[in-house]
Amino acid sequence: MTDAPSTGPDDAQEPPEAPEAPLLELRDGLTPVIETAEALAEYCAALATADGPVAIDAERASGYRYSNRAYLIQLRREGAGTALVDPIAFASLAPLQEAIGDAEWILHAATQDLPCLAEVGLHPAKLFDTELAGRLLGHPRVGLASLVERQLGRRMRKEHSAVDWSRRPLPEPWLVYAALDVEVLVELRALLVAELEEQGKTEWARQEFEHLLSFTPTVRVDPWRRVSGTHKLRGRRALAAVRALWTTRDEVARTRDTTPSRVLPDSAIIAAAEALPTTRAALLATPGFKGRGADRYATRWVEAIQEALDLDESALPARTLRGDGPPPVRAWADKDPAAARRHTVGRDAVVALAEERSVPVENLLTPDYLRRLLWSPPRTRDRAELVEAVGAQLASYGARPWQVELTAPLLADAVIAGDVEPVPEPQPEPSPGDEA
């Protein structure tokens, strides 16, 4: 007699997987790349007479080229269709800027594309950032493909996201991929606008988008310090070698218009800075010193190392870069216990509010603003005056009015709470047996 099959919970069938969303396809087919003045003028005429916002995107050659310039610009406007513009073919895109006029731009992750679009003379009068809208709405994933699948039920292609867009001619599959990036932005914007209204975050978004209009990339101080592995080096002389090698690599990369890592990887810079070889043969024999330009520019690498070795001690770089902000939070308890208490209370309050409002904490208030405020708060302790002073200080850093309105009262309370030293808990009296 055979045993009957088990029907317990461990043998219950798993629910079938949800069917994969259908691929997003081009509604109007693929149009030719615009690379002549006549073709640009024809599209600009259609663009100027169409209505509604303009979806716009740009493709760069990150990982291949030194510059961050745009090598393809995609646009779509209802009534004008999609255009793929080759900016390399034009001395000026002024006709495109004029055709767009003061129409709203729709971008995804605007800070990535605004600089390269500005470089070719394209500047928005107003904009809508679908990624930022997704963040304000608390969506768990805010990549374009994720939002399109979540909001529109369509799956986007991802296979050409990291290709060399400076290549000419651009293959047709790449162009289809690029055109799809603007295909649904108008529709996606409409859905996100409705959701922002439903959550009462329309004004938040308006202020954030207005703030983006003045966005400029941050200019880094001592960018050579970003070489991966620098923190493992011992001694300021090695740091000087990293600086000299990085500067030489940057000059070569700029001249060749190639990404620096393709000239010499960070790992090779670290290997050379540790060993400090002074001859071409010794450098090339250094373990870990390899890369496309290791041999080709070996003489220049040796010269850079020698430059670092010849520096006077006073000219060597500091171990750490001194900023104008507060010290690391981990040091606050020793340097200023009241500030440490303020930070604990203020950070916890802002995190709780971010969870309550379903918005990432970094979008509710920039962490650097919070640290600066709680390290050096206003002097007054009258709560009404303090709330106002905290708000003014946050605004001076760049916080938007909606952020100030929500966080200033919480941070004012944190400032007041930080002034109160915790009362130590009473210790239990030792029992007679413990005294023995």
Side-chain angles (χ1 to χ4, degrees):
M1 180 178 177
T2 59
D3 293 334
S6 172
T7 58
D10 291 342
D11 298 295
Q13 289 187 347
E14 295 184 4
E17 292 185 8
E20 195 171 42
L23 269 175
L24 179 66
E25 302 289 350
L26 293 174
R27 282 173 277 184
D28 308 323
L30 184 65
T31 56
V33 175
I34 294 175
E35 48 193 2
T36 66
E38 294 76 16
L40 182 63
E42 182 180 347
Y43 182 72
C44 285
L47 191 66
T49 56
D51 293 321
V54 179
I56 186 165
D57 187 35
E59 304 295 347
R60 300 173 304 282
S62 303
Y64 297 91
R65 296 290 180 177
Y66 181 86
S67 70
N68 233 0
R69 71 184 302 178
Y71 285 95
L72 187 70
I73 297 174
Q74 310 96 281
L75 305 101
R76 182 175 179 83
R77 192 178 196 182
E78 297 303 322
T82 297
L84 304 176
V85 180
D86 181 0
I88 309 302
F90 299 95
S92 170
L93 290 178
L96 195 55
Q97 176 72 35
E98 184 178 352
I100 296 173
D102 61 358
E104 179 185 83
W105 289 19
I106 311 172
L107 304 103
H108 186 82
T111 56
Q112 294 183 20
D113 291 336
L114 286 173
C116 69
L117 292 169
E119 192 176 294
V120 295
L122 299 179
H123 305 272
K126 52 185 175 181
L127 63 82
F128 186 100
D129 185 336
T130 51
E131 184 201 48
L132 184 49
R135 289 184 179 279
L136 295 176
L137 290 166
H139 287 297
R141 295 188 296 169
V142 294
L144 181 58
S146 297
L147 286 177
V148 167
E149 185 162 353
R150 180 186 179 98
Q151 301 291 107
L152 302 172
R154 290 291 183 270
R155 183 165 45 92
M156 297 187 73
R157 294 174 170 84
K158 302 177 182 178
E159 62 268 30
H160 304 306
S161 60
V163 298
D164 181 5
W165 291 97
S166 66
R167 174 178 165 182
R168 293 295 183 273
L170 289 167
E172 183 173 311
W174 297 14
L175 296 174
V176 171
Y177 168 89
L180 286 169
D181 275 353
V182 293
E183 180 77 14
V184 292
L185 282 182
V186 174
E187 187 178 356
L188 179 60
R189 172 197 177 278
L191 293 173
L192 294 174
V193 164
E195 198 171 350
L196 287 166
E197 184 68 28
E198 182 182 347
Q199 291 192 22
K201 297 176 178 177
T202 299
E203 180 59 19
W204 297 11
R206 187 196 67 76
Q207 292 179 24
E208 290 299 306
F209 300 156
E210 184 177 345
H211 180 71
L212 280 176
L213 293 175
S214 59
F215 171 79
T216 54
T218 301
V219 178
R220 296 190 179 277
V221 178
D222 286 0
W224 59 268
R225 292 183 182 273
R226 291 176 59 82
V227 171
S228 178
T230 300
H231 66 284
K232 296 184 294 185
L233 295 175
R234 295 181 179 179
R236 295 164 60 206
R237 189 72 59 182
L239 289 181
V242 170
R243 180 175 63 185
L245 288 164
W246 181 94
T247 301
T248 300
R249 181 182 71 172
D250 197 64
E251 291 170 355
V252 171
R254 184 187 296 109
T255 301
R256 297 188 59 197
D257 191 17
T258 187
T259 189
S261 62
R262 294 170 75 87
V263 175
L264 194 70
D266 283 2
S267 58
I269 289 181
I270 298 300
E274 284 181 322
L276 296 176
T278 56
T279 67
R280 188 178 191 279
L283 175 66
L284 295 178
T286 300
F289 188 80
K290 54 187 177 181
R292 297 185 182 187
D295 190 353
R296 181 175 180 180
Y297 301 103
T299 301
R300 296 190 65 175
W301 308 134
V302 170
E303 290 173 352
I305 294 170
Q306 191 62 54
E307 174 190 319
L309 290 171
D310 291 342
L311 284 176
D312 185 83
E313 190 77 18
S314 62
L316 296 177
R319 287 291 307 172
T320 58
L321 183 64
R322 289 185 179 181
D324 62 349
V329 172
R330 62 179 179 274
W332 288 21
D334 292 330
K335 292 178 178 291
D336 187 342
R341 293 192 294 271
R342 289 194 294 267
H343 184 266
T344 298
V345 175
R347 177 200 58 206
D348 291 350
V350 171
V351 167
L353 180 61
E355 293 177 353
E356 177 189 329
R357 297 300 182 102
S358 299
V359 62
V361 65
E362 65 272 15
N363 289 105
L364 179 60
L365 187 66
T366 302
D368 182 58
Y369 299 170
L370 181 141
R371 288 191 294 268
R372 287 174 181 267
L373 183 285
L374 295 176
W375 177 253
S376 301
R379 290 183 177 277
T380 180
R381 291 300 181 265
D382 177 85
R383 189 179 185 279
E385 293 179 357
L386 184 57
V387 170
E388 185 176 350
V390 165
Q393 194 164 324
L394 290 174
S396 73
Y397 299 149
R400 272 68 77 195
W402 73 271
Q403 296 174 318
V404 170
E405 181 182 355
L406 288 173
T407 62
L410 300 179
L411 298 182
D413 290 341
V415 170
I416 294 171
D419 290 340
V420 180
E421 292 192 33
V423 178
E425 294 185 8
Q427 298 298 314
E429 292 290 333
S431 63
D434 293 335
E435 296 176 354

